[in-house]
Amino acid sequence: MQETERRPSPVRFAVAGKFSALDAPCVPRKRAAVSADIAPNRAVFLSYATQDAAEARRICEALRAAGVEVWFDQSELRGGDAWDRKIRTQIRDCALFLPLISANTQARLEGYFRLEWKLAEDRSHLMAKGKPFLVPVVVDATGERDAHVPDAFLAVQWTRLAGGETNAAFCAQVQRLLGNSEMEPGRPRRDPELGRMGPGERGEGAASPAGMKVGRALRARRFGPAAIAAAVVLTLAAGAWIWRTASPASDPAARRSAPPTVEKSAPAPTAPAAISDKSLVVLPLENLSPDPENAFFTDGMHHEIISTLQTNADLKVASRSAALAYKGSTRPIAAIARELGVANVITGSVRRERDRVRIQLELRRAGDDALLWALPKLDRPVIDAFAVQTEVAEEVSRVLQARAGVGRGGFAQFMTRNPRAYDLYLKALNDYLNDGYFNVARLNEDIVLMTEAVQLDPAFMPAARMLGRLHARTFGLSRESQDLLHHAAEAKRWSETASRLAPGGAGDAALAQYYAIIMGDGERALTLAQSAIRALPNDPDGYIFAGAALRLLGRRTEAAVHYRRAAELDAGVPQYWSFAATELIWLRRWDELKHLLSGRKNTVAGPGIMAQFQLDGTLPAPGKIPAGNSRAAWHWRRREFTEVIAAVEAGTFSDSVKLDQLGRKSDALRRLGRTGEAEAVAREMIVVAERLQAAPDFGPSPKAGYQAQAWLRTGRTEDALAAARRFIDAVPESNAGTRWAREITLAEMLAYLNRSRESCELIAKLLRVPSGLTVPMLKVDPTWDNVREDVAFKALLADPKNSAPL
């Protein structure tokens, strides 16, 4: 969950989703993992799957803050001999090798990180016994028993750093390992803060995470190529979503210096519902193309076949991310189907050679491996390949006796017959689904590809839809006014084109994204999202943007339902679970939240920290505070005002976020008695606020809010309050969620000015709705100190209705 939702301010809520990840279709997958030249023999090499970039960054930052040199680079280096040589050289020269292990590495049976792991394992075989080198780190609930890792990784004990949150004990242990060529003899000392556990303590839900004991041999185990399920089985019982995992990860915020307590087990899930005969998974297609560069074509065909099948509401089709967990697996289809809760499995292969493509597919019943249908080996021109998607959807629906749904074939029937346009589309789609989501340069490259595709075929609906999505995503990462204006206009243009090309709603999801994320128009976005859901009931996009629209409208209960539905359709996207957790926090649905977090703590790491705080009042320890814009806010809540100032000064922000951060810095300086410095920061806020008056508006204008924040801290009290009220009035009554967020800002300003009665009246109103204001936050946040002793404020905190579920 983003800090923009945790501590509302004019800056955060004025842009209503501009910096939100609500449009996220997938997990960011940046390429790993080396950095600039660092002296050998004292450096740590951090190796990770691209989906774990955020966790790797947290570990890297923590180690560097502790004075450890880390090879870690997220510059967008592409493949090539020079880069490959650099990787090999650094693995050869590093002092410690830290492989990050997760559900993502389990799901990816191929990847560059596996070459890094192999090189590190080979080097470890040349070392003396007891020399520390391999330091495996698990960032989620992945267990050792079935881990797809080199045998050498199993000969040392693992460390668990949930979500990449890195404590001081781990940093100290790495420093000790860097300073010793041999491990001390005898049994290593148990470190309770690090969470070390011996082999006998592994397994089912250990209360503390595994620590690190380098050089102690464990029994070597070998594993076959079996892939692990990345999708977690979701069941609905008594109105609560109950998750099951083999080994739940410890929440990083839950560890404190107090004596350990035994966690209560989550209620046992009910028996799963009967598996529908009309359910299936399309396993990743085998790429038989002689040119490895054609892998994108096979991946794109896999995605499009799934998308076309999902248009039939009478079919239950496992998501692409769930299917990808079994890429390269040799497990029996019965086992795969059982884990995914489906009755049937499609397997096949694609071979592309120059301008022709050969496709072979089979549909089998998982229970007895009976062949239900087979697509004969087709040898077609590439321009005819897209027709296979429609043929597959029709034949599978016929065989499984599924009714044809509204909008069936919504994507395939709008595919192009231009081979160049089709190639460009599949390349951009592959980028977007794999490693381009947070990469502005890559997004702009894909915009060029898709622009060419729609120029080649103006009726190519999926390309227009993708182009609208690419511009909307790039808008969210842009800072300059001209870039914002350009990408907003292009997102609207191409989203409207997709909607026009696909009558019946199949092209409306991108337009729903535009109105929810860019324009903040909840009503219009909801209408479009509902249209997309009717046309494509198995596509999570419609539910995600319906959830975003419902949040703007203040209808958070419905938003939670839609986010849960999206997560059920595509369990492999962590953002969907984060959105659902956020809604449960604001709704104060504590039991449901506990059930969700019991199996997804690492997947919802952002809201997980906030949830833990809301549930037991535990503020995250300094070492557990997440990186990013929220760091200063958590230090503020911990009353660590010097750290607040340091966090603000260390960050780089767009003007809108910078204004809010400067306000926090000014307040922290005043708390430390550094009034002159606080006033200087307030004057800087005036400059930034004036600069923001020239920025373009998208949706309800935030500009009065910028002025209110700056004027408040420069003593222009009445001007500030008047601006805050204009800030609220700029939002239509229908967008209740956005209005509540802006009203919290006004309540904070009134508290800042010691106007207790007015502030408490507004707080009382906001506690009656899912505004994001909660009693636990009111209790600890210094923002409310000026009204803390007011009788009315104390009464609000004591009233059980204000803590009860909404």
Side-chain angles (χ1 to χ4, degrees), residues 323-403:
L324 286 177
Y326 298 91
K327 189 170 186 177
S329 174
T330 58
R331 300 190 67 188
I333 64 169
I336 294 174
R338 189 163 53 248
E339 291 168 355
L340 295 179
V342 298
N344 306 285
V345 176
I346 291 179
T347 58
S349 63
V350 176
R351 178 184 176 88
R352 179 180 177 179
E353 194 164 5
R354 292 186 293 276
D355 61 347
R356 299 195 69 81
V357 60
R358 179 176 296 172
I359 303 171
Q360 185 174 14
L361 298 172
E362 291 183 349
L363 172 68
R364 291 185 178 273
R365 187 167 54 229
D368 57 6
D369 202 31
L371 179 64
L372 302 180
W373 167 81
L375 180 71
K377 282 188 178 180
L378 296 176
D379 192 343
R380 296 181 176 180
V382 170
I383 59 174
D384 291 332
F386 70 89
V388 172
Q389 299 150 222
T390 301
E391 185 176 341
V392 171
E394 291 174 349
E395 289 300 305
V396 169
S397 297
R398 178 185 61 78
V399 171
L400 299 183
Q401 299 181 0
R403 298 186 302 274

Side-chain angles (χ1 to χ4, degrees), residues 701-763:
S701 176
K703 293 175 181 176
Y706 300 144
Q707 293 173 324
Q709 289 284 67
W711 289 342
L712 176 71
R713 290 170 175 85
T714 52
R716 295 175 58 178
T717 300
E718 295 307 319
D719 288 341
L721 291 175
R725 292 187 174 96
R726 292 197 303 274
F727 178 53
I728 296 168
D729 291 340
V731 182
E733 291 287 346
S734 59
N735 273 22
T738 306
R739 286 185 67 91
W740 295 335
R742 296 187 177 194
E743 286 173 339
I744 292 176
T745 298
L746 177 57
E748 291 177 337
M749 293 174 63
L750 291 166
Y752 183 96
L753 297 170
N754 290 300
R755 295 170 69 159
S756 297
R757 181 183 60 80
E758 296 168 84
S759 182
C760 288
E761 287 176 353
L762 194 48
I763 292 169

Side-chain angles (χ1 to χ4, degrees), residues 435-661:
D435 61 359
Y437 189 69
F438 282 112
N439 184 338
V440 174
R442 183 67 60 80
L443 287 167
N444 281 317
E445 290 174 6
D446 289 337
I447 285 173
V448 173
L449 297 180
M450 297 314 300
T451 300
E452 182 183 348
V454 295
Q455 288 172 346
L456 291 168
D457 185 350
F460 189 5
M461 186 281 289
R465 180 179 185 268
M466 175 60 71
L467 196 48
R469 295 293 298 273
L470 290 168
H471 278 292
R473 180 60 196 150
T474 311
F475 170 91
L477 299 174
S478 299
R479 293 185 178 185
E480 299 299 328
S481 294
Q482 62 269 26
D483 292 335
L484 293 171
L485 288 168
H486 169 71
H487 290 298
E490 290 297 283
K492 182 180 182 183
R493 172 191 173 192
W494 291 111
S495 296
E496 288 178 338
T497 300
S499 182
R500 184 178 66 254
L501 290 172
D508 284 350
L511 198 53
Q513 174 189 16
Y514 168 79
Y515 282 105
I517 305 305
I518 296 180
M519 296 306 296
D521 186 339
E523 290 185 321
R524 193 162 187 179
L526 181 59
T527 299
L528 289 161
Q530 289 171 335
S531 173
I533 290 170
R534 286 192 296 270
L536 305 171
N538 290 309
D539 184 351
D541 278 0
Y543 298 95
I544 285 297
F545 299 126
L550 289 162
R551 294 179 69 183
L552 293 171
L553 299 172
R555 294 159 60 179
R556 288 189 174 267
T557 299
E558 296 169 78
V561 171
H562 282 76
Y563 286 142
R564 285 170 165 175
R565 178 58 179 155
E568 183 182 33
L569 287 169
D570 201 343
V573 180
Q575 287 95 329
Y576 297 172
W577 302 110
S578 294
F579 301 154
T582 299
E583 299 312 299
L584 295 177
I585 290 170
W586 287 172
L587 289 164
R588 308 196 296 249
R589 305 282 181 85
W590 309 127
D591 289 341
E592 294 175 62
L593 182 63
K594 288 176 184 176
H595 291 320
L596 186 148
L597 291 178
S598 67
R600 304 294 299 189
K601 286 181 180 179
N602 296 294
T603 300
V604 292
I609 293 174
M610 175 59 76
Q612 193 68 40
F613 165 70
Q614 299 283 353
L615 290 170
D616 66 8
T618 302
L619 285 164
K624 306 300 181 185
I625 291 176
N629 295 347
S630 66
R631 178 172 292 276
W634 283 110
H635 282 304
W636 171 260
R637 292 162 190 154
R638 288 178 53 83
R639 300 177 183 272
E640 296 168 344
F641 302 123
T642 301
E643 287 80 0
V644 170
I645 297 166
V648 174
E649 291 176 345
T652 56
F653 315 103
S654 64
D655 275 350
S656 57
V657 178
K658 181 178 181 180
L659 187 73
D660 184 62
Q661 295 285 329

Side-chain angles (χ1 to χ4, degrees), residues 172-235:
Q173 178 73 343
V174 170
Q175 290 171 324
R176 287 195 293 271
L177 294 175
L178 289 171
N180 293 302
S181 60
E182 295 279 333
M183 290 298 293
E184 295 178 4
R187 182 169 181 171
R189 183 177 54 201
R190 188 178 181 92
D191 188 334
E193 184 179 353
L194 230 141
R196 209 175 267 168
M197 68 178 183
E201 296 171 88
R202 291 201 193 97
E204 306 301 320
S208 62
M212 175 172 58
K213 184 174 60 174
V214 179
R216 185 174 190 268
L218 301 177
R219 180 171 59 90
R221 292 165 289 180
R222 300 195 65 85
F223 298 89
I228 192 165
V232 181
V233 179
L234 180 67
T235 58

